[in-house]
Amino acid sequence: MVVTWRGRDHIGACLAALAKQTRAHEVLVLDNASDDGTAELISGQRVLRLLRNRGYAGGLAAALPQVKTQLMAWLNDDAAPEPGWLAALEDALDADPRAAAAGGVLTDMAGVISSAGVALTADGYGMDLREPTETTFGFCGGSVLLRRGALVGAGGVPGGFFCYYEDTDTAWRLRLAGWRILLVPTARATHKLGASSKPGSWRFHRWNERNRLLTLLRCAPLRIALAQVLRFLAITLALPARRLRGVEVPDALNYTVGLRLFVFAEVIARLPASLIARFAIGRRGSVARSVVWRTWAGRVVQSIDHPA
């Protein structure tokens, strides 16, 4: 599964790399209403085209009912996997029937690792790891193979996230359902980070901050989720006074009052749906939220500050 939006400049390399995979597979391209000529480039593929851009998460959610195979791969349209990428991921899942997902490693154009799985920080952020480790909480959604049945059983993809944290939320729900998540260091893909989104932009920080809080409300112990939502609001309200006192404040858009109030308003508007989803996740789960949190929160090594 490849989700694209205005991918004319990079999706060709992605599809060419998929054509060189050593394991038989089908390709489904989800086109988020691209208007830049992408549709013509992918005309030879099996394509599901949406009438509007629903983002990476929304695209995955829309495509899930169209996938009938037991395994489903997610791959960014600006990623080019090595020929053995899919085989390595598939072999890892075949070897571990308790695993629902096998994540690959993403590198930049110079070969430097940009994601080797996702860790969960002590305040509930998903963070991409720099180095492969056997204790990876989750996977990067730009390069992963999942058991479709496990994904559907855990509630599918949070399409309303638009983009960012759909992978952390999904990994969290799979762990609550008792599944294992693997990292496969030999499954590598070169990734043009931010080709479709713009890290550091207003929308980037909006989706990142909002979806972290929504993920916590859906998946974390309630006291943790509420504490983080209130902490977010407290920091927001304290920013003007801190600046007036000359206290140093990070020079980033996610520390502007306007953006943070917008995010908080979105979270409150989505609170009823998040609580309904939380109840459903709890009913499906077999592992206590407190157990998952104690096991994984804060186990961060050599990570970079990038939303998952």
Side-chain angles (χ1 to χ4, degrees), residues 40 57 103 172 241 257 278 285:
E40 289 74 19
W172 205 324
V257 174
R278 177 185 180 85

Side-chain angles (χ1 to χ4, degrees), residues 11-216:
I11 194 171
C14 173
L15 296 176
L18 284 175
K20 296 177 181 178
Q21 293 299 300
T22 60
R23 194 64 54 85
H25 63 281
E26 300 177 27
V27 176
L28 173 62
V29 180
L30 188 291
D31 184 8
N32 265 314
S34 298
D35 55 5
D36 66 338
T38 298
E40 289 74 19
L41 283 177
I42 62 177
S43 59
Q45 305 290 328
R46 180 188 172 198
V47 177
L48 176 61
R49 181 173 172 82
L50 300 184
L51 297 178
R52 63 181 178 86
N53 182 10
R54 293 170 58 180
Y56 193 68
L60 291 172
L64 182 57
Q66 306 299 320
V67 177
K68 305 304 180 183
T69 54
Q70 293 183 356
L71 301 179
M72 175 186 185
W74 299 354
L75 183 68
N76 280 358
D77 67 345
D78 54 359
E82 295 179 355
W85 170 79
L86 184 58
L89 296 176
E90 188 173 354
D91 288 346
L93 288 185
D94 286 345
D96 189 346
R98 295 176 54 236
V105 172
L106 291 174
T107 69
D108 63 18
M109 304 306 292
V112 178
I113 292 176
S114 55
S115 179
V118 171
L120 184 64
T121 69
D123 51 359
Y125 278 94
M127 300 185 74
D128 287 315
L129 295 169
R130 288 184 182 272
E131 298 293 339
T133 172
E134 294 181 356
T135 57
T136 304
F137 168 73
F139 52 82
C140 174
S143 172
V144 63
L145 183 67
L146 301 108
R147 298 190 194 277
R148 184 187 180 280
L151 175 61
V152 172
V157 186
F161 279 22
F162 195 83
C163 65
Y164 299 126
Y165 275 86
E166 69 283 331
D167 47 9
T168 300
D169 182 277
T170 299
W172 205 324
R173 287 181 286 112
L174 288 171
R175 289 206 173 275
L176 288 170
W179 289 98
R180 284 165 43 82
I181 294 170
L182 309 175
L183 176 74
V184 185
T186 56
R188 295 196 167 221
T190 302
H191 182 217
K192 294 181 179 179
L193 181 62
S196 298
S197 61
K198 296 181 179 180
S201 67
W202 194 92
R203 288 183 176 181
F204 169 91
H205 285 300
R206 168 203 173 189
W207 294 324
N208 183 28
E209 297 291 352
R210 180 195 70 189
N211 293 346
R212 174 183 75 99
L213 295 176
L214 293 177
T215 296
L216 289 168

Side-chain angles (χ1 to χ4, degrees), residues 206-257:
R206 168 203 173 189
W207 294 324
N208 183 28
E209 297 291 352
R210 180 195 70 189
N211 293 346
R212 174 183 75 99
L213 295 176
L214 293 177
T215 296
L216 289 168
L217 286 168
R218 287 158 53 90
C219 301
L222 188 58
R223 63 178 181 82
I224 299 295
L226 294 179
Q228 286 300 317
V229 171
L230 293 175
R231 179 173 180 266
F232 182 87
L233 178 61
I235 291 174
T236 302
L237 297 178
L239 283 174
R242 292 183 64 183
R243 289 192 170 98
L244 284 175
R245 296 198 309 269
V247 178
E248 185 176 355
V249 174
D251 185 21
L253 282 174
N254 59 325
Y255 278 88
T256 58
V257 174

